Every structure is written in structure tokens, then in C-alpha cells.
Amino acid sequence: YLQLARRPPAQLGEESLHAIVREVVALVAPELAQAQVALTTQAPDIGPVLADGNQIRQALLNVLRNAVEAGAHTLRLELATDGARVTLALHDDGPGMTEVERDKALDPFFSTKASGTGLGLAITKQILEDHGGTVEIAPSPLGGTTVTLVLAHRTPSTGRVDAADRAGGR
């Protein structure tokens, strides 16, 4: 609860989401192996973005651990950009969520787990909002749930969305 209430503001700096994905995957690998969960990643190097690396790591850890605790056996993590947004989508083959559960999943203290606090996704939502982003929850093509962390693609040099750069504006 204190982590949600007293979380420091985001300290934006130049970060590689490609590297963050690699670090988080390495960190959770023993947990995944013990739970017999397979994880595949597709994380191209999309260049640096403005983000608080520690907070993005925390958000990614939260969604990975939630998927495992929900009973997923297969996870697919995809990093992508369309120029204006960066997405980190975690697809799982777990039991999925009802529409009501998806609507409430980001609310503090909502949990479908007997021992859950209901703070992991609420903290993740707050982290993404502090970055000007969102968290999207939808049914997964793997049969379970997809949780997508969405960030504006801001470059370290300008702090603005990089669409003008891609369109030849510079």
C-alpha cells in the first residue's frame, strides 16, 4: 500500500527498453523455470526513449508475475513501436479474465487471487500514467489475457514524440 501511496515521481532519462526487457527476463528466469512457464520475447532495439528505467522494470515485473500467478504456462512478450507509441505487450495462455475483471483489474485492492493485495496492476497503471502512458487489458491470442504497457515514443534529445523525426522533419 505504501508503495502506491508514496511512490516517487518518475525520473525520466535515456533508457533502452530492449535492455530493460533483457534484464527483467533474466531476473524472472528462475521463477519461470520453477513454475514451468515458457517465455518467448520479441524485443527489437527501438533506440533510446525517455523513461524511468526502474519504474518500467517494476511495471514489467508486475505484469509478468501476475500472469504466472494467474496460472499461465506460456508467455509471449513483444516490444514494438509505431513511431508515436511504444508498446510492451505480454500475452499469456492463462485462464483469462471476464469483461468485469478486465474493467476492475487496474483498481487498487481488486484481486481475483485469494492471497493477492490488488496493488500490482494499480501500481503499474500509476507508473504508466506518470510516463504519459496507459495500461490496456484484452483477451490474448494465446487464450488468456494480454496486458499492454503503452508509452509515448519520446526521444531523449527533444523530450517530444519522435514522429516528426521519422517523417523527415529534422
Side-chain angles (χ1 to χ4, degrees), residues 56-166:
I56 298 300
R57 283 178 191 87
Q58 182 64 54
L60 190 52
L61 277 170
N62 288 349
V63 297
L64 280 163
R65 287 182 173 149
N66 273 359
V68 172
E69 290 170 6
H73 298 291
T74 302
L75 304 174
R76 187 173 72 221
L77 179 60
E78 299 172 343
L79 171 63
T81 184
D82 63 8
R85 317 177 326 149
V86 175
T87 58
L88 278 163
L90 180 68
H91 309 281
D92 73 52
D93 70 343
M97 295 179 164
T98 66
E99 187 175 339
V100 170
E101 291 169 336
R102 285 192 306 270
D103 289 343
K104 293 182 176 188
L106 301 173
D107 294 346
F109 308 112
F110 176 80
S111 179
T112 59
K113 297 177 278 190
S115 62
T117 63
L119 293 177
L121 286 177
I123 290 169
T124 298
K125 176 186 174 191
Q126 191 176 55
I127 288 170
L128 271 291
E129 286 176 349
D130 287 352
H131 283 77
T134 60
V135 178
E136 299 171 357
I137 301 175
S140 169
L142 298 180
T145 302
T146 295
V147 177
T148 305
L149 309 180
V150 182
L151 296 163
H153 194 166
R154 294 182 291 177
T155 63
S157 61
T158 65
R160 290 175 286 173
V161 174
D162 199 25
D165 292 344
R166 285 176 183 46

